[in-house]
């Protein structure tokens, strides 16, 4: 069943990491499907402003979700508008290659601050504003939580931790009528790999190798992932919680 242009009518939504990639596409999809407001967060104002210029429902907010100041800023913005939140999408994330024989403790901390501490702290901070019952949380995880790769033990561990959070939060928040689900993409054509210090040559080689191995025969596109975020968030998915939908072209079964 196709989503209606009014699927998210009168709903207020937050998408972290909404300036690029999956977050950008998800924010615009929510807006196109009737959301009253879609607040997108990120550390750089320029990408956020570019997305906001594409739809009047999109509201840019510069905030680093890996910091307490960032979570406070997001909560303050919600409180100032007097809105109840209907959907919270945790999309902000960083990727890193971290060989254990050359481990940088600062990189270890940064990956966990963004990929794990950020979503947990922001969920706790925004809990008073989430509509209860009726709201839901969608977390963008990764198949790296389940797929072992060299030099990705830190990144994989951070995503495994957030997968555990998804399931436990679903149990804890279920009695409040709040659903929690996740989407676990495989290798998707977004800027995130470049943020991990991976060279363009290594990125190209990695993507070629992924396409060769995955049963679908290609890497993913943002358009492969975004519909699952909106699908999990829509009201007709009210009986789905604690699930992590894998969208990876079949890599995990290869």
């Amino acid at each position: 069943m196709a989503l209606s242009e009014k699927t998210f009518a009168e709903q207020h939504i937050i998408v972290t990491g909404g300036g690029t990639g999956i977050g950008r596409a998800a924010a615009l999809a929510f807006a196109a499907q009737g959301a009253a407001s879609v607040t997108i967060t990120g550390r750089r104002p320029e990408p956020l402003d570019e997305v906001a210029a594409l739809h009047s429902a999109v509201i840019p907010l510069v905030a680093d979700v890996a910091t307490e100041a960032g979570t406070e800023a997001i909560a303050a913005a919600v409180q100032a508008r007097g809105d109840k939140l209907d959907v919270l999408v945790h999309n902000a994330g960083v990727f890193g290659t971290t060989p254990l024989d050359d481990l940088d403790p600062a990189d270890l901390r940064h990956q966990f601050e963004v990929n794990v501490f950020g979503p947990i702290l922001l969920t706790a901070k925004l809990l008073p504003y989430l509509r209860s019952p009726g709201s839901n949380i969608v977390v963008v995880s990764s198949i790296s939580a389940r797929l072992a790769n060299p030099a990705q033990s830190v990144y994989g561990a951070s995503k495994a931790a957030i997968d555990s959070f998804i399931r436990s939060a679903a149990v804890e928040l279920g009695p409040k009528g709040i659903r929690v689900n996740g989407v676990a993409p495989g290798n998707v054509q977004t800027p995130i790999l470049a943020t991990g210090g991976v060279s363009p040559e290594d990125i190209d080689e990695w993507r070629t190798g992924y396409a060769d191995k995955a049963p679908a025969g290609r890497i993913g596109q943002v358009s492969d992932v975004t519909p699952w975020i909106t699908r999990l968030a829509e009201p007709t998915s009210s009986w789905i919680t604690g699930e992590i939908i894998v969208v990876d072209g079949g890599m995990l079964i290869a």
Side-chain angles (χ1 to χ4, degrees):
M1 181 180 67
L3 292 180
S4 164
E5 291 182 359
K6 301 297 185 181
T7 297
F8 297 101
E10 300 183 11
Q11 293 198 15
H12 298 280
I13 297 165
I14 288 178
V15 180
T16 69
T20 62
I22 292 170
R24 177 185 188 276
L28 291 173
F30 282 119
Q33 292 162 29
S37 72
V38 185
T39 300
I40 56 172
T41 73
R43 291 177 293 178
R44 296 178 295 130
E46 295 82 7
L48 299 176
D49 291 340
E50 290 175 6
V51 181
L54 298 174
H55 200 289
S56 60
V58 178
I59 303 169
L61 175 61
V62 177
D64 184 351
V65 295
T67 67
E68 289 190 42
T71 61
E72 290 282 359
I74 296 169
V78 174
Q79 186 177 36
R81 288 199 304 273
D83 297 332
K84 278 290 186 179
L85 280 180
D86 297 280
V87 182
L88 172 59
V89 179
H90 291 298
N91 170 72
V94 292
F95 172 83
T97 53
T98 47
L100 292 175
D101 58 4
D102 189 28
L103 182 64
D104 181 352
D107 186 43
L108 167 64
R109 285 191 292 271
H110 181 58
Q111 288 192 56
F112 269 79
E113 284 169 354
V114 178
N115 296 345
V116 184
F117 300 160
I120 295 174
L121 288 171
L122 186 58
T123 298
K125 183 65 67 174
L126 295 181
L127 199 54
Y129 307 104
L130 284 164
R131 196 176 301 280
S132 176
S135 65
N136 68 94
I137 299 167
V138 182
V139 184
V140 179
S141 183
S142 169
I143 64 167
S144 292
R146 314 181 205 184
L147 185 66
N149 279 305
Q152 289 188 39
S153 58
V154 172
Y155 178 70
S158 74
K159 290 301 185 177
I162 207 62
D163 280 5
S164 180
F165 168 73
I166 291 167
R167 292 187 290 267
S168 295
V171 173
E172 180 175 345
L173 300 181
K176 298 179 182 291
I178 299 173
R179 299 186 295 114
V180 186
N181 291 290
V183 176
N187 195 329
V188 176
Q189 187 85 33
T190 73
I192 191 171
L193 290 180
T195 68
V198 185
S199 71
E201 294 77 17
D202 287 345
I203 291 174
D204 288 342
E205 182 179 349
W206 194 355
R207 285 174 171 160
T208 300
Y210 191 100
D212 289 343
K213 187 174 181 180
R218 63 176 177 86
I219 66 167
Q221 301 298 318
V222 168
S223 58
D224 294 314
V225 180
T226 303
W228 293 100
I229 296 174
T230 55
R231 178 66 73 186
L232 286 170
E234 67 171 291
T236 56
S237 296
S238 62
W239 211 40
I240 301 174
T241 194
E243 290 297 324
I244 301 168
I245 306 296
V246 174
V247 188
D248 70 343
M251 179 59 82
L252 280 183
I253 61 168

